[in-house]
Amino acid sequence: MMHLSDIRHYERCARLAWLCAHEPQPFVPFVYMQESMSELAKQYFHLEDYFEGNVGDDPALAMAALKTKDVLLNARFTIHDLRIKISMMKRSEEGWDIYFFYSSCYPKESEAQKLADTLQVLKALNVLVKKVWIVHLNAAYVRSDELDVQQLLLVTPYLYNRKNKAYHLAMDLINECQRDVFAFGDAIASLLEAPCPVCKEHAACMRGGKCRYYAHCFPAHHEDTSVLNFIQTAHKYELMDQGVVDMRDIDVQLLEGTRQQYAQIMAARNGGFYVDRFALRNWLKQTFSDPISYLDFEWESYAIPPYKGMRPFDVLVFQYSLHIEEKGKELRHEEYIGEGDCRIDFIEHLLAAIPKTGTILVYNMEGAEKLRLIQLQAQFPQYKEQLNDLCERMVDLALPFVSGCIYDSRMRGYHSLKVLSKVFNDMDYQDLEISQGLQAPQNWRRMQSDPDAKESIRKALLAYCAMDTYAEYALFHKLMELAATKDEEGNGSQLQI
């Protein structure tokens, strides 16, 4: 039996299709979906008499329901060994209206091919489709005391472009994507019956984010100066095909010429390390006032807003770690972890603990801690002035790295805090019970539902978050040490083209 997901995997990479079929991996969501779209749709459409399908259903059940029910949910259909699921279909005077559910705010136009393939199966089964509707979460919805499903969901005939604008009707895009979806059957069947194909790394491995089987396919790290570690370039696979495997051998005119690429090439050509000391010193000359606070948050992301004042995909910050460095005093540590709707408690605890003056150093602040504080300002305007003051005092510790000011070839193209901590300060998160970000909200959820494990999880969460702020402290001092070091011959010289 083949599913549309098999076709999508096959079109991306034959090895991916084989691995998904023979060695499936559990899906770990980035956001917490408290209730299914099907359950929300039942409330939105006030459904009472309907057929609802389940995983593993005999497709004959849905075909029979077409004759007796006016509404079908999660109905499974199969023809020519291709199986599909329809989120919802409602009988109309001339045929069926099809509703596709998305637990996102802006389902993209790129979904049109999958929808077209789905409707091809219904057409082959002589199910007449008259209209197509897209059901998704409303980005503008702000929750009151109670969840209002009528405002939470939007039903539209459109899909959205890259700018989140509803420009094209879904049905028009679907009509442009018509193809013989059944033609994939023989090729995929043959692939799945054969041994796992061998493939080299290619552009599809990173399309739409790194493939979840990447480490399975390429368990060994690339060499530190491999062209496959290049940042922000569309040419690295082309270079590999041409036999150029090391950054030191690259014709730089083939690259986009970003500062990060420059730093990578210079590091490769100068013993594995590059630093623009003039730029680093200039960055350090900005106002770093005493005391320096090193700050890090952990949060849970919710698709459906669970509490008043929240929007779809807002986050709830449940934890912080704060290391405070003050001249003449020992480094001290403050921390907090809450439960349930702890937003106000979090704010008040943070404001009480963090120094009223001085620099606040945060790693990747714009996409993380600063954004969290801006959301809290909108939800609790009574704290806007104090939280805004924290935002204005923040300095992004990531800036020297993302700007190409400093690069070590052992970074292999990455500049996360965990990578930098290991490269520059020999600090390894793998010794912790919780060692990476996605594990934090998952464990926080379990901490609140499993009394027996509550205390051990709490200690693990506190240790993980504290590691982040201590890593910020250690990394900042490493940057000051590098800035104070005398320039070495050739370091910072212009790249010869």
Side-chain angles (χ1 to χ4, degrees):
M1 187 70 65
M2 182 173 65
H3 298 78
L4 291 181
S5 59
D6 296 319
I7 296 175
R8 295 198 303 275
H9 297 150
Y10 177 77
E11 289 184 299
R12 180 175 179 178
C13 173
R15 183 178 174 88
L16 172 63
W18 194 97
L19 288 170
C20 287
H22 293 282
E23 300 179 22
Q25 290 185 356
F27 173 69
V28 180
F30 285 93
V31 297
Y32 183 38
M33 189 76 180
Q34 310 94 294
E35 195 166 14
S36 71
M37 288 295 291
S38 298
E39 292 301 315
L40 294 173
K42 292 175 187 178
Q43 301 171 47
Y44 182 90
F45 292 101
H46 305 290
L47 299 181
E48 294 182 357
D49 184 21
Y50 54 87
F51 166 85
E52 184 167 14
N54 294 286
V55 176
D57 272 353
D58 185 330
L61 294 174
M63 292 301 295
L66 291 176
K67 301 175 182 178
T68 60
K69 298 292 184 181
D70 290 333
V71 178
L72 283 73
L73 283 173
N74 297 321
R76 271 75 173 176
F77 297 95
T78 301
I79 189 171
H80 304 320
D81 278 338
L82 179 57
R83 185 179 178 90
I84 63 168
K85 182 184 77 172
I86 303 295
S87 300
M88 188 174 83
M89 51 198 304
K90 295 178 69 176
R91 193 187 305 275
S92 66
E93 292 184 2
E94 300 176 333
W96 291 89
D97 289 354
I98 306 299
Y99 296 77
F100 292 100
F101 296 169
Y102 286 92
S103 56
S104 60
C105 292
Y106 300 102
K108 292 295 186 273
E109 293 178 350
S110 58
E111 288 290 301
Q113 186 62 68
K114 182 177 73 173
L115 305 189
D117 292 344
T118 301
L119 296 189
Q120 277 290 311
V121 173
L122 292 182
K123 182 179 180 180
L125 290 167
N126 296 316
V127 177
L128 182 61
V129 175
K130 299 303 295 183
K131 294 181 180 179
V132 168
W133 300 95
I134 307 298
V135 183
H136 63 87
L137 301 177
N138 177 10
Y141 171 65
V142 180
R143 176 171 173 152
S144 297
D145 290 323
E146 300 295 328
L147 188 70
D148 185 346
V149 177
Q150 300 303 316
Q151 298 299 318
L152 172 65
L153 297 185
L154 288 179
V155 181
T156 173
Y158 292 92
L159 287 168
Y160 295 84
N161 62 21
R162 292 182 179 180
K163 296 182 179 180
N164 295 336
K165 302 297 182 182
Y167 188 71
H168 291 108
L169 290 168
M171 186 58 87
D172 289 344
L173 295 170
I174 288 168
N175 289 335
E176 294 174 4
C177 294
Q178 296 299 313
R179 64 179 178 178
D180 181 8
V181 68
F182 304 107
F184 289 93
D186 291 342
I188 293 177
S190 298
L191 169 71
L192 298 183
E193 291 173 0
C196 182
V198 177
C199 65
K200 62 181 181 180
E201 185 175 340
H202 54 107
C205 297
M206 301 296 176
R207 187 184 305 145
K210 184 186 290 187
C211 174
R212 61 183 181 273
Y213 288 95
Y214 182 87
H216 183 287
C217 298
F218 311 105
H221 287 297
H222 303 309
E223 295 296 324
D224 290 350
T225 57
S226 167
V227 298
L228 293 177
N229 293 330
F230 248 119
I231 300 171
Q232 298 176 331
T233 180
H235 301 288
K236 58 185 178 182
Y237 301 109
E238 177 185 339
L239 290 167
M240 287 292 291
D241 290 340
Q242 295 172 359
V244 180
V245 298
D246 196 287
M247 294 181 190
R248 290 168 288 194
D249 302 323
I250 287 176
D251 179 355
V252 293
Q253 296 185 62
L254 297 177
L255 299 177
E256 292 81 356
T258 69
R259 286 179 57 86
Q260 287 178 305
Q261 292 171 354
Y262 176 87
Q264 286 185 287
I265 293 176
M266 290 300 291
R269 294 181 178 180
N270 289 279
F273 182 70
Y274 167 82
V275 58
D276 182 342
R277 283 190 172 81
F278 177 81
L280 180 58
R281 289 167 183 161
N282 190 54
W283 181 74
L284 288 168
K285 283 179 182 177
Q286 65 182 300
T287 306
F288 285 95
S289 57
D290 185 65
I292 295 179
S293 300
Y294 303 89
L295 185 63
D296 182 73
F297 296 164
E298 300 299 333
W299 58 82
E300 173 70 285
S301 301
Y302 292 94
I304 303 168
Y307 303 115
K308 184 178 180 179
M310 296 181 70
R311 300 171 182 267
F313 296 97
D314 267 0
V315 305
L316 190 149
V317 187
F318 60 81
Q319 181 180 5
Y320 76 73
S321 174
L322 173 66
H323 273 90
I324 302 167
E325 181 183 15
E326 192 169 2
K327 288 182 180 179
K329 296 182 180 180
E330 291 188 1
L331 184 70
R332 63 186 174 93
H333 183 233
E334 300 284 346
E335 59 189 358
Y336 168 88
I337 187 167
E339 297 183 38
D341 185 7
C342 57
R343 290 173 294 167
I344 288 182
D345 192 40
F346 172 90
I347 292 170
E348 293 182 344
H349 199 286
L350 175 62
L351 293 175
I354 198 164
K356 299 297 186 289
T357 59
T359 298
I360 302 172
L361 265 178
V362 183
Y363 195 85
N364 190 29
M365 68 181 193
E366 296 293 345
E369 280 72 15
K370 189 173 183 179
L371 183 58
R372 306 288 83 87
L373 293 180
I374 291 172
Q375 288 181 345
L376 286 171
Q377 290 177 47
Q379 294 167 13
F380 303 101
Q382 66 268 35
Y383 297 101
K384 182 174 182 179
E385 185 176 340
Q386 298 101 308
L387 295 178
N388 188 58
D389 173 68
L390 300 187
C391 291
E392 290 181 347
R393 290 159 54 199
M394 281 186 177
V395 174
D396 196 344
L397 185 56
L399 189 59
F401 300 94
V402 299
S403 65
C405 174
I406 180 172
Y407 184 79
D408 188 302
S409 294
R410 291 173 296 171
M411 292 162 57
R412 298 192 177 106
Y414 295 97
H415 53 261
S416 71
L417 182 60
K418 293 176 179 59
V419 168
L420 298 177
S421 298
K422 189 169 185 179
V423 169
F424 291 99
N425 297 104
D426 198 25
M427 295 172 59
D428 197 339
Y429 282 67
Q430 295 305 312
D431 296 332
L432 300 175
E433 291 184 40
I434 296 173
S435 59
Q436 53 98 358
L438 271 181
Q439 294 174 349
Q442 294 167 5
N443 278 276
W444 181 66
R445 249 177 272 148
R446 191 163 73 90
M447 184 188 82
Q448 298 172 91
S449 61
D450 187 348
D452 294 334
K454 182 173 182 175
E455 189 55 31
S456 62
I457 294 174
R458 184 177 182 277
K459 289 179 180 178
L461 284 168
L462 292 172
Y464 171 72
C465 199
M467 182 79 154
D468 276 342
T469 50
Y470 187 78
E472 291 172 349
Y473 162 79
L475 187 60
F476 181 62
H477 282 263
K478 185 66 177 181
L479 291 178
M480 290 195 294
E481 176 187 321
L482 290 169
T485 304
K486 291 183 179 180
D487 292 328
E488 297 175 5
E489 185 179 353
N491 208 348
S493 62
Q494 294 298 308
L495 183 65
Q496 298 300 313
I497 297 178

